Amino acid sequence: MTQSLAAAPPAEEPSTSLLRPRPLLRPRPGPLLLAVGVLLLLCLASLAIGAKAIPPNQVWHGLFHPTGTENDVIVRGLRVPRTLTALAVGAALGLAGTLMQSMTRNPLADPGLLGVNAGASAAVVTAIAFLGVGTTTGYVWFALAGAGVATVLVCALGGLGAVSPVRLALAGTAVNAALVGYIGGVELLDQQALDQLRMWSVGSLAGSTTGNLLACLPLLLAGALLCVLAARPLNALALGEDAARAVGVGVVRARVAGVLAITLLCGAATALCGPIAFVGLMVPHLVRSRTGPDLRRMLPHALLLAPALLLAADIAGRVLAEPGEVPAGVMTAIVGAPVFVALVRGRRGRVAGL
């Protein structure tokens, strides 16, 4: 009896150490440097490829030594804002998807699948059709409000206190279907809204401007900062509420920070170029396979991989339909739908009911 009591304290120590937050983990430089290199190459391709192909030396000239030629105007006035917008939107969707999958403990969670993008879109449609709002700076606040309401509604229906992957998926599907129906109805009744939203509603980077990006940039930066601050508490929360409280994590505060970050990122991204699906679903899975589930390692990789994916989709859309283009949102859906089916089939044994 004495020996068993003496052996008890060491037996408790390993489990306690697992719950204790670890020091900040440094991402491995190799994969990050490779991702940076790929992203830079895609940025150059985005500046050079389009309805008019521009050689790299003329791209460089247009960026740093403009003289007002047609190529300079195309590079600086059209393709630079488009490329920067793709970088910002891709990063926002990658961070939001990574955070949402961790926070809900649902490997199939995605801002588009859980109705967040549809909420932002519905709010923007309402602003355009009924309030006469027609600029990004005007409807960005509507997009944020719509994304926030949709996020809270899905979390409430899915059980915020005891998150269930199945309930969240069903709640997100129901909310998304209702909002998509509302959007379609408004567009059919209002021809002006339909004309204005035709390209925006499928997720297009065409027409991106520096002014619109600067208007949304503070919101995107605030959302990214919240992601960083929420990473450690949400890591602890992934072990369960009791384990998180045992190491001093405020469960409600952590979830509120996560929801606010997702709302800011998805709302601003949707306001900039419309709803783009599947980026926030695919990127976390690709990153997690290389880094593990620790958000402090996942977020830097998602920050680089998601913009690369969106840029690649945008470039592919320009090449496939030259001299026109296929919107980036359509391209990500074409690639993302089979990936989603594969994920559902692969997770059947681990996610009940899916």
Side-chain angles (χ1 to χ4, degrees):
M1 182 68 175
T2 304
Q3 292 178 349
S4 63
L5 291 175
E12 295 293 332
E13 185 60 28
S15 61
T16 304
S17 64
L18 289 175
L19 300 179
R20 188 179 301 117
R22 297 178 180 179
L24 183 62
L25 298 175
R26 295 181 180 179
R28 297 174 182 175
L32 286 177
L33 291 176
L34 178 61
V36 170
V38 171
L39 192 57
L40 290 176
L41 289 176
L42 287 171
C43 288
L44 178 61
S46 178
L47 296 175
I49 296 173
K52 180 180 181 181
I54 300 177
N57 63 325
Q58 295 187 26
V59 170
W60 181 269
H61 184 276
L63 288 174
F64 301 104
H65 306 287
T67 56
T69 64
E70 181 184 2
N71 287 343
D72 294 346
V73 173
I74 292 174
V75 170
R76 294 177 67 90
L78 299 177
R79 295 185 184 173
V80 167
R82 181 173 187 151
T83 302
L84 293 177
T85 300
L87 292 175
V89 171
L93 295 176
L95 292 175
T98 302
L99 201 66
M100 180 173 282
Q101 289 187 12
S102 176
M103 188 177 71
T104 62
R105 289 178 286 176
N106 183 351
L108 303 179
D110 166 78
L113 294 174
L114 293 187
V116 180
N117 287 346
S121 300
V124 171
V125 168
T126 301
I128 292 174
F130 301 117
L131 302 178
V133 179
T135 63
T136 299
T137 53
Y139 57 63
V140 62
W141 303 109
F142 291 92
L144 287 172
V149 170
T151 304
V152 172
L153 181 59
V154 170
C155 289
L157 294 175
L160 188 59
V163 178
S164 165
V166 176
R167 291 181 61 186
L168 278 172
L170 293 175
T173 300
V175 171
N176 188 75
L179 292 174
V180 168
Y182 168 77
I183 294 169
V186 173
E187 289 178 346
L188 289 175
L189 295 174
D190 192 311
Q191 185 63 38
Q192 181 181 358
L194 175 62
D195 293 338
Q196 192 167 348
L197 288 167
R198 183 175 289 114
M199 288 298 292
W200 182 88
S201 61
V202 296
S204 175
L205 292 165
S208 300
T209 66
T210 305
N212 291 343
L213 178 60
L214 291 177
C216 296
L217 190 59
L219 304 174
L220 294 171
L221 292 176
L225 179 61
L226 276 174
C227 279
V228 174
L229 296 177
R232 178 173 290 183
L234 289 177
N235 274 342
L237 192 58
L239 300 174
E241 292 186 14
D242 293 336
R245 290 192 181 97
V247 295
V249 172
V251 173
V252 175
R253 185 168 62 250
R255 284 184 175 154
V256 168
V259 168
L260 184 57
I262 292 169
T263 300
L264 290 171
L265 292 170
C266 293
T270 304
L272 277 172
C273 61
I276 294 181
F278 292 109
V279 173
L281 172 68
M282 293 185 288
V283 169
H285 284 274
L286 296 174
V287 170
R288 192 180 296 111
S289 66
R290 303 292 301 175
T291 67
D294 194 324
L295 278 174
R296 293 168 294 176
R297 281 183 172 170
M298 291 184 67
L299 291 176
H301 289 79
L303 187 66
L304 296 173
L305 184 58
L309 178 62
L310 184 56
L311 267 177
D314 186 44
I315 295 169
R318 287 184 247 174
V319 171
L320 291 176
E322 191 178 357
E325 66 177 77
V326 179
V330 174
M331 294 300 300
T332 58
I334 291 173
V335 176
V339 172
F340 177 65
V341 172
L343 289 174
V344 171
R345 291 177 61 85
R347 296 274 177 176
R348 249 185 337 189
R350 283 173 283 177
V351 182
L354 292 178

